């Protein structure tokens, strides 16, 4: 613990603190549909989605959930209209600048994972700065998957390991799950216990393919901009009703 005292808020009475997930991952789906229903352009859905993410992060911090990973931009999202992609890149950069001070005050550690070298230079600089400034914070680790694809992550890990074998630094029989995990973008972060996907879509969309092996899935029809603390509470209640056996028998 650093000099700052991390204070947890009281949990809703129907949640058991001992059975909370350590790590929650979220696929934030439905921003465009939310905006369309409101008669607004798609970009307004993304703006509103930022508020929902801030509220979820604050809730994780308040209730003692140690890690939150958000799927912000996939490797496939480059195929969206150029205007929307440009807006998202600008939005990421602006939010990082505006929220960094509060992240420091709230003891949030920020990490970005994905192929960050393909992002605009100015955004890369903001990302590097935010990760450096928050690296010692301890209340919650907030990982943002940006230009991220699970298949790409696995391929890159395989290439890195194959290179070590080729150089004679590693023998094939030394390759195991633990070594493989150290070559993933998420090295050092525990696997998600709970994956939440909004808007009712029943797929994981190339997100954390290795890490999701035993995650509990929670799908809600709620569109992402409407996902609030009450919705998160419902997701946690559903999670605590699951019997997590990890392929074993009680």
């Amino acid at each position: 613990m650093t000099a700052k005292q991390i204070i947890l808020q009281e949990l809703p009475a129907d949640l058991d603190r001992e059975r909370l997930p350590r790590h929650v991952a979220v696929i934030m789906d439905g921003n465009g549909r939310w905006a369309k229903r409101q008669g607004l352009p798609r970009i307004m859905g993304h703006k509103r989605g930022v508020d929902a993410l801030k509220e979820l992060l604050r809730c994780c911090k308040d209730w003692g959930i140690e890690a939150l990973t958000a799927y912000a931009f996939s490797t496939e999202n480059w195929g969206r209209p150029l205007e929307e992609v440009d807006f998202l890149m600008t939005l990421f950069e602006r939010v990082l600048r505006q929220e960094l001070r509060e992240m420091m005050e709230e003891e949030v550690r920020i990490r970005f994972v994905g192929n960050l070298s393909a992002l605009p230079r100015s955004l890369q600089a903001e990302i590097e700065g935010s990760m450096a400034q928050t690296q010692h914070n301890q209340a919650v680790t907030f990982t943002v998957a940006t230009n991220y694809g699970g298949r790409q992550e696995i391929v890159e890990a395989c290439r890195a390991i194959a290179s070590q074998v080729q150089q004679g630094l590693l023998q094939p029989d030394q390759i195991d799950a633990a070594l493989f995990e150290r070559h993933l973008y998420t090295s050092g972060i525990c696997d998600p216990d709970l994956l939440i996907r909004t808007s009712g879509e029943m797929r994981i969309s190339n997100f954390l393919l290795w890490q999701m092996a035993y995650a509990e899935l929670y799908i809600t029809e709620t569109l992402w901009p409407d996902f609030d603390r009450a919705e998160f509470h419902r997701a946690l209640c559903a999670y605590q009703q699951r019997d997590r056996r990890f392929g074993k028998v009680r």
Side-chain angles (χ1 to χ4, degrees), residues 63-115:
W63 290 352
I65 294 171
E66 65 186 65
L68 172 67
T69 296
Y71 202 7
F73 192 86
S74 75
T75 50
E76 293 74 32
N77 286 158
W78 294 107
R80 293 188 175 189
L82 181 59
E83 179 184 1
E84 182 175 351
V85 171
D86 287 345
F87 173 81
L88 286 170
M89 295 297 121
T90 302
L91 180 64
F92 296 157
E93 189 174 336
R94 185 169 67 246
V95 168
L96 272 178
R97 277 199 305 270
Q98 293 175 347
E99 302 297 331
L100 184 58
R101 180 176 178 180
E102 186 174 351
M103 296 288 185
M104 290 297 297
E105 292 173 352
E106 295 289 330
E107 282 285 298
V108 174
R109 180 190 179 198
I110 305 172
R111 287 189 57 169
F112 279 77
V113 296
N115 181 12

Side-chain angles (χ1 to χ4, degrees), residues 10-48:
E10 185 175 348
L11 276 176
D14 54 353
L15 289 178
D16 179 356
R17 188 177 296 280
E18 298 302 317
R19 297 181 61 227
L20 288 174
R22 291 180 62 200
H23 183 178
V24 173
V26 60
I27 299 176
M28 307 176 291
D29 202 11
N31 289 343
R33 275 166 282 176
W34 181 90
K36 185 177 181 180
R37 291 179 185 179
Q38 309 296 321
L40 299 170
R42 286 177 58 86
I43 60 174
M44 297 306 296
H46 295 309
K47 282 187 175 180
R48 183 65 177 266

Side-chain angles (χ1 to χ4, degrees), residues 7-221:
I7 301 174
L8 303 181
Q9 302 296 318
E10 185 175 348
L11 276 176
D14 54 353
L15 289 178
D16 179 356
R17 188 177 296 280
E18 298 302 317
R19 297 181 61 227
L20 288 174
R22 291 180 62 200
H23 183 178
V24 173
V26 60
I27 299 176
M28 307 176 291
D29 202 11
N31 289 343
R33 275 166 282 176
W34 181 90
K36 185 177 181 180
R37 291 179 185 179
Q38 309 296 321
L40 299 170
R42 286 177 58 86
I43 60 174
M44 297 306 296
H46 295 309
K47 282 187 175 180
R48 183 65 177 266
V50 170
D51 295 334
L53 182 57
K54 287 172 58 179
E55 178 65 10
L56 178 58
L57 178 59
R58 185 172 293 111
C59 194
C60 287
K61 187 254 184 182
D62 288 347
W63 290 352
I65 294 171
E66 65 186 65
L68 172 67
T69 296
Y71 202 7
F73 192 86
S74 75
T75 50
E76 293 74 32
N77 286 158
W78 294 107
R80 293 188 175 189
L82 181 59
E83 179 184 1
E84 182 175 351
V85 171
D86 287 345
F87 173 81
L88 286 170
M89 295 297 121
T90 302
L91 180 64
F92 296 157
E93 189 174 336
R94 185 169 67 246
V95 168
L96 272 178
R97 277 199 305 270
Q98 293 175 347
E99 302 297 331
L100 184 58
R101 180 176 178 180
E102 186 174 351
M103 296 288 185
M104 290 297 297
E105 292 173 352
E106 295 289 330
E107 282 285 298
V108 174
R109 180 190 179 198
I110 305 172
R111 287 189 57 169
F112 279 77
V113 296
N115 181 12
L116 306 180
S117 64
L119 302 176
R121 290 288 183 86
S122 56
L123 176 55
Q124 290 183 50
E126 291 292 339
I127 287 171
E128 291 171 6
S130 66
M131 289 196 296
Q133 290 188 55
T134 64
Q135 63 181 315
H136 299 300
N137 291 348
Q138 297 184 36
V140 58
T141 297
F142 177 38
T143 303
V144 185
T146 307
N147 195 26
Y148 173 90
R151 288 180 173 180
Q152 169 190 284
E153 178 182 33
I154 290 170
V155 168
E156 290 192 10
C158 290
R159 284 175 177 163
I161 293 170
S163 176
Q164 292 181 43
V165 172
Q166 187 178 47
Q167 296 175 59
L169 303 175
L170 187 68
Q171 294 300 313
D173 59 7
Q174 293 177 289
I175 301 171
D176 57 14
L179 183 141
F180 190 82
E181 287 174 355
R182 290 198 295 272
H183 288 81
L184 295 174
Y185 296 142
T186 54
S187 177
I189 304 173
C190 62
D191 288 344
D193 301 296
L194 172 63
L195 169 66
I196 298 170
R197 179 161 191 159
T198 56
S199 86
E201 301 292 352
M202 305 291 283
R203 56 182 178 269
I204 59 174
S205 299
N206 199 21
F207 185 43
L208 300 176
L209 299 180
W210 173 278
Q211 299 87 340
M212 289 292 179
Y214 284 103
E216 299 295 325
L217 308 184
Y218 179 83
I219 311 296
T220 174
E221 295 289 335

